[in-house]
């Protein structure tokens, strides 16, 4: 189940809350991120047609959510947008990014933005299920969802610019087929080439940073005593290894029975290796029963020739009970 909320929605924030409260697309620091959600700014009222940009933040790290962002404005507003300072968020410092998000929210009649926050659990659950939903597919689904919801809000889109995901022409043709009448441009480093994509990049990056900085560890005991260190660094890989802070945090916060808190993407190879080396071993009841394991891994054995309905409903023949 996903969540959708808009800037106009009412959320109580105390004076003691961190600067997270200044980022409307991030949850309150007292609220854990247990599922993916979508945030929409107020819908612009200026006449269309509109252009829209798509970009993401947090694709590679082992910690935290993956955030997809879109920004949109009237075609007639494009010249003004080009002079607002938007660029690839990775080339900007945190203060500049925060200031640009305020700029993106400062002219609601012309500027709109949305983000899709994909929780670490959703990322990992998708990647380990059978068949898996890999990161490219999850990213694609987030992009399509955001475009559909912007259209559903009554925005007339004629041009959409997307930071590349896979082969540019293949992805461009796919999106064009889903949304006929919209001219799609999928390009590498689109956030540096198109200001509207740079604006989407800022929305995604500021949201992700706020989610990480204000992360609520729901695994903490009810007495509020902090058990999980927040000195986890960026969570991004650096070459063949993680940044030292992230690597140290992972090693120092592994609970041998339960693993890691929900902040961690447990489908990442780095995490799997740490768990295999340092966590308690688990012995499954089907270990050593090769024929039973094989029956579940393939369509053979008891599942052979069974219809999909029987499999989905987990119906069993009386002869096997």
């Amino acid at each position: 189940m996903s969540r959708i909320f808009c800037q106009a929605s009412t959320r109580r924030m105390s004076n003691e809350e961190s600067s997270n409260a200044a980022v409307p697309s991030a949850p309150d620091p007292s609220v854990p991120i247990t599922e993916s959600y979508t945030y929409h700014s107020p819908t612009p009222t200026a006449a269309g047609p509109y252009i829209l940009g798509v970009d993401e933040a947090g694709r590679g790290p082992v910690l935290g959510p993956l955030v997809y962002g879109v920004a949109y404005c009237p075609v007639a507003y494009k010249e003004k947008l080009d002079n607002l300072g938007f660029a690839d968020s990775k080339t900007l410092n945190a203060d500049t990014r925060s200031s640009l998000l305020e700029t993106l929210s400062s002219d609601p009649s012309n500027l709109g933005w949305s983000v899709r926050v994909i929780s670490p659990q959703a990322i990992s659950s998708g990647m380990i299920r059978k068949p898996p939903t890999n990161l490219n597919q999850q990213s694609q689904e987030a992009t399509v969802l955001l475009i559909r919801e912007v259209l559903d809000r009554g925005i007339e889109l004629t041009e959409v610019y997307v930071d590349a995901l896979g082969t540019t022409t293949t992805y461009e043709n796919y999106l064009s087929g889903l949304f006929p009448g919209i001219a799609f441009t999928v390009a590498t480093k689109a956030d540096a080439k198109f200001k509207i994509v740079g604006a989407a990049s800022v929305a995604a990056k500021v949201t992700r940073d706020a989610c990480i900085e204000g992360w609520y560890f729901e695994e903490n005991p009810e007495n509020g005593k902090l058990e999980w260190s927040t000195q986890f660094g960026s969570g991004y890989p650096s070459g063949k290894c993680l940044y030292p802070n992230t690597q140290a945090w992972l090693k120092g916060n592994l609970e041998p029975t339960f693993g890691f808190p929900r902040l961690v993407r447990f489908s990442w190879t780095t995490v799997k290796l740490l768990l295999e080396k340092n966590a308690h071993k688990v012995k499954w009841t089907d270990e050593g029963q090769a024929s039973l394991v094989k029956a579940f891994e393939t369509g053979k054995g008891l599942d052979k020739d069974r219809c999909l309905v029987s499999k989905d409903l987990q119906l069993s023949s009386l002869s096997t009970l």
Side-chain angles (χ1 to χ4, degrees):
M1 177 83 58
S2 64
R3 292 182 289 158
I4 298 175
F5 61 96
C6 302
Q7 192 175 38
S9 63
T10 300
R11 294 184 294 146
R12 296 183 182 276
M13 300 182 184
S14 66
N15 293 330
E16 291 76 26
E17 289 177 356
S18 73
S19 59
N20 236 21
V23 181
S25 50
D28 295 342
S30 61
V31 178
I33 298 178
T34 59
E35 59 184 3
S36 302
Y37 69 87
T38 304
Y39 168 86
H40 293 290
S41 71
T43 305
T45 56
Y50 280 68
I51 61 172
L52 178 144
V54 184
D55 201 7
E56 53 79 21
R59 183 175 172 81
V62 69
L63 304 177
L66 166 61
V67 180
Y68 260 79
V70 299
Y72 48 101
C73 70
V75 173
Y77 194 84
K78 184 176 180 297
E79 184 175 346
K80 184 172 182 179
L81 177 77
D82 289 346
N83 296 315
L84 294 179
F86 290 106
D88 175 3
S89 64
K90 294 185 290 296
T91 67
L92 308 171
N93 62 39
D95 288 341
T96 301
R97 289 193 296 264
S98 295
S99 176
L100 284 172
L101 186 65
E102 292 178 4
T103 299
L104 192 57
S105 304
S106 66
D107 189 357
S109 62
N110 286 290
L111 294 171
W113 59 281
S114 307
V115 292
R116 176 68 177 169
V117 178
I118 308 173
S119 71
Q121 308 96 288
I123 294 170
S124 295
S125 297
M127 293 180 70
I128 66 173
R129 69 163 54 104
K130 294 184 181 297
T133 305
N134 64 32
L135 201 59
N136 276 0
Q137 188 174 346
Q138 293 186 53
S139 299
Q140 181 177 291
E141 290 172 354
T143 298
V144 171
L145 175 70
L146 286 170
I147 295 173
R148 286 195 191 282
E149 292 188 352
V150 169
L151 291 170
D152 289 344
R153 293 163 73 82
I155 298 298
E156 178 194 359
L157 297 176
T158 54
E159 303 170 36
V160 173
Y161 300 87
V162 185
D163 198 48
L165 179 64
T167 305
T168 56
T169 53
T170 301
Y171 193 33
E172 199 170 280
N173 291 336
Y174 170 77
L175 292 171
S176 298
L178 286 179
F179 301 100
I182 298 177
F184 281 89
T185 299
V186 177
T188 56
K189 299 188 181 302
D191 46 5
K193 297 174 181 176
F194 308 103
K195 298 298 183 182
I196 194 67
V197 181
S201 175
V202 166
K205 176 64 174 169
V206 174
T207 299
R208 175 180 153 80
D209 285 352
C211 288
I212 293 292
E213 292 166 10
W215 189 268
Y216 178 88
F217 287 91
E218 59 183 308
E219 296 85 0
N220 283 344
E222 291 184 4
N223 63 16
K225 181 181 178 181
L226 182 65
E227 291 190 347
W228 307 96
S229 166
T230 58
Q231 303 301 311
F232 36 66
S234 69
Y236 280 88
S238 176
K240 294 184 178 180
C241 62
L242 294 169
Y243 282 121
N245 281 0
T246 304
Q247 188 73 273
W249 186 89
L250 287 170
K251 290 180 178 178
N253 288 274
L254 190 159
E255 207 291 322
T257 301
F258 299 104
F260 292 102
R262 288 175 178 262
L263 173 69
V264 178
R265 301 179 186 179
F266 54 84
S267 58
W268 257 231
T269 301
T270 303
V271 174
K272 290 179 180 179
L273 292 175
L274 284 172
L275 290 172
E276 288 175 4
K277 183 178 179 180
N278 301 299
H280 295 315
K281 304 298 180 183
V282 176
K283 182 174 177 60
W284 302 98
T285 57
D286 59 5
E287 285 184 21
Q289 301 183 48
S291 59
L292 179 59
V293 173
K294 195 71 174 177
F296 278 94
E297 289 180 345
T298 70
K300 298 179 181 179
L302 295 177
D303 268 345
K304 185 179 181 182
D305 298 327
R306 296 181 70 205
C307 69
L308 290 177
V309 173
S310 297
K311 294 178 183 178
D312 289 343
L313 296 178
Q314 300 180 345
L315 300 179
S316 300
S317 171
L318 289 174
S319 63
T320 65
L321 299 177

